Amino acid sequence: MPDRYIKELVNYGISSGLTPECERIYTTNLLLREMHVDSYDDSVETFDDDLETILGGLLDDARSRGIIGEGTTEGDLFDTALMNTLIPRPSEVTRIFWDKYSRSALDATDWFYDFSRKTNYIRTYRVARDMKWKTSTPYGDLDITINLSKPEKDPKAIAAARNNKNASYPKCQLCMENEGYAGRLDHPARENHRIIPLTINGSKWGFQYSPYVYFNEHCIVFNGQHTPMKIDRAAFEKLFDFISQFPHYFLGSNADLPIVGGSILTHDHFQGGHYTFAMEKAEFTDMFTVNGYEDVTSGIIKWPLSVIRLQGRDRKRVIDLADHILKSWRGYTDESAFIFAKTDGEPHNTITPIARKHGDIYELDLALRNNITTEEHPLGVFHPHEKLHHIKKENIGLIEVMGLAVLPSRLQKEIFVELADALVDHKDISSIEDLKKHADWVREFAPKYPQGFTRENIDGILKEEIGQVFREVLEDAGVFKLTKEGHEAFLRFVNIL
């Protein structure tokens, strides 16, 4: 019988502040229903177990009685329903948030972030498994993460996605309709998910945290309507409207074109949080003034991507200039720098914008992006080049642009276990099927370590070299290269503004 874990979960709800003591019996009965049992012994002995252990005990019991199957996806669907029995309805969460906001925006977000972790919407015990470190580069300390918290899809989930292609509710994982949705094998459960309604630039938006929190208080701000992303003047206005309401956060947008955009281009959304990336610390290398915008500080910053930074006290003036730069960039061609606004009618130029507020100064970074492809670079000329694909092949979106690498989970075992063992044991990497793709990389960095590879130094060496690969990834994504010729090309662009 699951009595012990049911009682422990109710105790957790009460002690964490999710469930009032007066709802102990009611919550217990909700859990009995979810666990498919109709009797309960409240005198059962309990232990001081953490949430992961409690939910694991309930999942084991449910599996032993055939309520759910063995897969991770089925387990996530089920334990999300269990957590939902503990937490208040959306209207109460919204009331508490805005009550705290009336005193302080910081108090409101602190509370909501803590709430999102306590409800297990952010599975903190999984996030803790992610590998994270910093690597020093000429551009500052880049953040490197190997994502181990996002579960791999199990075979049942893959089959469900293939067989359920016509599912249209919710339309995507960013839609408002996810709040409280029970989920299915091809769509995550969101019963313990709560969304804070916002008004952004006069329209209805939602505010939530990412369940995978790649950085502190990693939030998502999304349109209340399922409408495609678009970088335009209105996007800049929305970014500044949000940070005016939450000045302790930054907010940015993925670009709106494939290859240089994010993973979800079909739903208008932004990402932000309470974190200082290396990009924010980057200093100006070249200042320039645009005629008619002398009141806006404008310059190029020292960053591997090609970034223009704007600063000013009047956000409308910053937006006006950003819109002028965007329109100029959309139509800009410089064949000598291999920048083409269009080829065969297909547009290539767009921008990744990031907005911040420092006291009374509004700041907007505009990362210039171009998604042109060639036979030599079929995934993108300004995309990680093929020699780096053994580490990073995926698109360079907003998070990477700011200096945080989100690397695939395969690297944890592939590099820090298998490759590390092979290097310490002096094996021929090129002769090992799963590791030979790393052979050229190893040959390139090995001479830097004449002392050789040992159990004591191999972890640090591999972290350093992965970080330097990410530096190269960002350099590949820069449309104006950090060379004399690239610098001159960048200046040619800003001089026509």
Side-chain angles (χ1 to χ4, degrees):
M1 294 292 289
D3 294 10
R4 165 192 161 188
Y5 291 114
I6 289 175
K7 185 173 183 179
E8 287 193 352
L9 188 57
V10 175
N11 287 343
Y12 168 84
I14 293 170
S15 64
S16 66
L18 296 175
T19 309
E21 174 64 45
C22 63
E23 292 182 6
R24 176 182 289 275
I25 293 174
Y26 174 77
T27 304
T28 299
N29 286 332
L30 291 180
L31 282 168
L32 292 177
R33 181 193 65 193
E34 296 293 339
M35 292 300 298
H36 294 201
V37 292
D38 52 15
S39 62
Y40 172 69
D41 180 7
D42 187 55
S43 66
V44 65
E45 182 181 7
T46 60
F47 301 88
D48 190 22
D49 289 325
D50 58 29
L51 182 60
E52 183 179 15
T53 301
I54 296 169
L55 293 175
L58 291 168
L59 289 176
D60 286 345
D61 180 83
R63 287 182 174 121
S64 71
R65 293 186 289 117
I67 297 172
I68 60 171
E70 294 295 327
T72 299
T73 303
E74 288 188 62
D76 286 356
L77 293 170
F78 189 72
D79 69 16
T80 300
L82 298 181
M83 288 303 301
N84 189 44
T85 66
L86 305 180
I87 63 180
R89 293 175 70 89
S91 60
E92 178 64 7
V93 174
T94 298
R95 184 195 66 76
I96 295 171
F97 180 89
W98 289 112
D99 180 62
K100 292 183 177 296
Y101 182 90
S102 67
R103 296 188 292 275
S104 161
L106 179 62
D107 285 351
T109 54
D110 281 351
W111 174 80
F112 189 44
Y113 187 58
D114 184 58
F115 174 85
S116 299
R117 289 182 292 178
K118 287 177 176 176
T119 62
N120 210 38
Y121 172 70
I122 297 172
R123 295 174 182 260
T124 54
Y125 46 85
R126 286 186 182 170
V127 174
R129 298 169 192 161
D130 290 349
M131 293 183 65
K132 298 183 179 183
W133 69 93
K134 291 181 181 288
T135 297
S136 179
T137 76
Y139 317 108
D141 292 339
L142 301 181
D143 290 292
I144 314 297
T145 66
I146 293 180
N147 174 33
L148 302 174
S149 57
K150 191 172 183 177
E152 302 276 344
K153 286 188 176 181
D154 60 37
K156 283 187 177 181
I158 294 171
R162 184 173 59 247
N163 297 329
N164 200 23
K165 292 180 180 178
N166 294 325
S168 59
Y169 184 89
K171 291 185 175 69
C172 77
Q173 292 186 28
L174 291 179
C175 285
M176 288 285 192
E177 289 78 11
N178 282 279
E179 187 175 43
Y181 185 61
R184 50 184 191 265
L185 287 176
D186 64 337
H187 192 101
R190 290 291 184 255
E191 287 168 293
N192 60 346
H193 179 36
R194 299 294 182 263
I195 297 169
I196 303 300
L198 300 177
T199 299
I200 301 292
N201 201 31
S203 58
K204 294 181 180 180
W205 282 61
F207 171 74
Q208 66 179 63
Y209 289 103
S210 164
Y212 308 113
V213 287
Y214 294 131
F215 50 87
N216 186 50
E217 297 180 44
H218 178 185
C219 69
I220 300 173
V221 181
F222 58 99
N223 198 313
Q225 300 297 317
H226 184 75
T227 186
M229 289 182 60
K230 185 178 182 181
I231 302 300
D232 56 9
R233 181 189 177 87
F236 302 143
E237 291 172 340
K238 293 166 188 172
L239 292 174
F240 277 129
D241 195 0
F242 177 84
I243 64 168
S244 294
Q245 297 179 57
F246 300 92
H248 58 293
Y249 275 12
F250 76 88
L251 196 67
S253 175
N254 277 303
D256 55 356
L257 292 179
I259 295 178
V260 296
S263 57
I264 302 178
L265 297 179
T266 56
H267 195 124
D268 191 17
H269 72 285
F270 306 127
Q271 295 182 75
H274 200 180
Y275 189 72
T276 301
F277 290 91
M279 182 186 193
E280 183 176 345
K281 300 176 185 178
E283 298 181 350
F284 287 110
T285 59
D286 298 86
M287 307 302 297
F288 61 89
T289 301
V290 180
N291 289 336
Y293 299 95
E294 290 81 5
D295 56 328
V296 179
T297 300
S298 311
I300 297 168
I301 63 171
K302 184 181 180 181
W303 193 245
L305 280 87
S306 307
V307 180
I308 293 172
R309 175 167 292 166
L310 307 179
Q311 296 173 333
R313 286 183 168 81
D314 185 339
R315 79 183 196 188
K316 180 180 181 302
R317 295 291 291 158
V318 175
I319 291 169
D320 287 343
L321 180 50
D323 186 44
H324 173 68
I325 293 172
L326 173 63
K327 289 174 179 175
S328 298
W329 178 242
R330 291 279 194 196
Y332 188 72
T333 291
D334 182 346
E335 294 187 14
S336 67
F338 205 76
I339 294 170
F340 297 88
K342 290 183 179 180
T343 56
D344 299 324
E346 178 186 353
H348 297 302
N349 289 346
T350 186
I351 280 177
T352 299
I354 303 102
R356 312 177 192 93
K357 195 168 187 284
H358 301 295
D360 62 349
I361 300 296
Y362 290 93
E363 181 174 275
L364 184 64
D365 283 351
L366 304 173
L368 308 180
R369 313 297 303 276
N370 180 287
N371 74 347
I372 195 168
T373 62
T374 63
E375 288 187 9
E376 182 183 3
H377 300 292
L379 297 183
V381 172
F382 305 107
H383 178 86
H385 289 177
E386 188 175 2
K387 64 170 285 193
L388 308 178
H389 288 178
H390 65 107
I391 299 293
K392 178 69 172 177
K393 185 178 181 180
E394 299 78 14
N395 293 358
I396 303 305
L398 171 67
I399 294 174
E400 285 89 358
V401 165
M402 295 185 293
L404 190 158
V406 181
L407 302 178
S409 60
R410 63 176 173 83
L411 296 181
Q412 190 272 334
K413 179 181 178 184
E414 202 172 275
I415 290 184
F416 288 95
V417 178
E418 296 172 354
L419 180 60
D421 287 345
L423 290 175
V424 170
D425 295 337
H426 308 289
K427 294 180 180 178
D428 178 11
I429 306 301
S430 60
S431 67
I432 302 174
E433 184 62 30
D434 291 342
L435 300 181
K436 62 184 181 182
K437 61 187 172 185
H438 300 300
D440 289 343
W441 176 51
V442 170
R443 279 191 290 269
E444 186 178 311
F445 72 69
K448 294 163 58 178
Y449 305 96
Q451 74 274 26
F453 305 116
T454 66
R455 293 291 173 195
E456 291 71 31
N457 70 14
I458 190 62
D459 188 72
I461 289 173
L462 291 173
K463 286 181 176 179
E464 167 66 17
E465 295 305 324
I466 288 175
Q468 297 305 330
V469 167
F470 181 57
R471 170 186 57 78
E472 292 185 61
V473 161
L474 295 183
E475 290 171 346
D476 284 348
V479 294
F480 296 114
K481 301 307 178 186
L482 299 173
T483 61
K484 179 176 179 293
E485 296 76 16
H487 183 243
E488 291 173 350
F490 204 165
L491 293 180
R492 282 198 299 273
F493 172 65
V494 300
N495 285 334
I496 61 98
L497 294 173

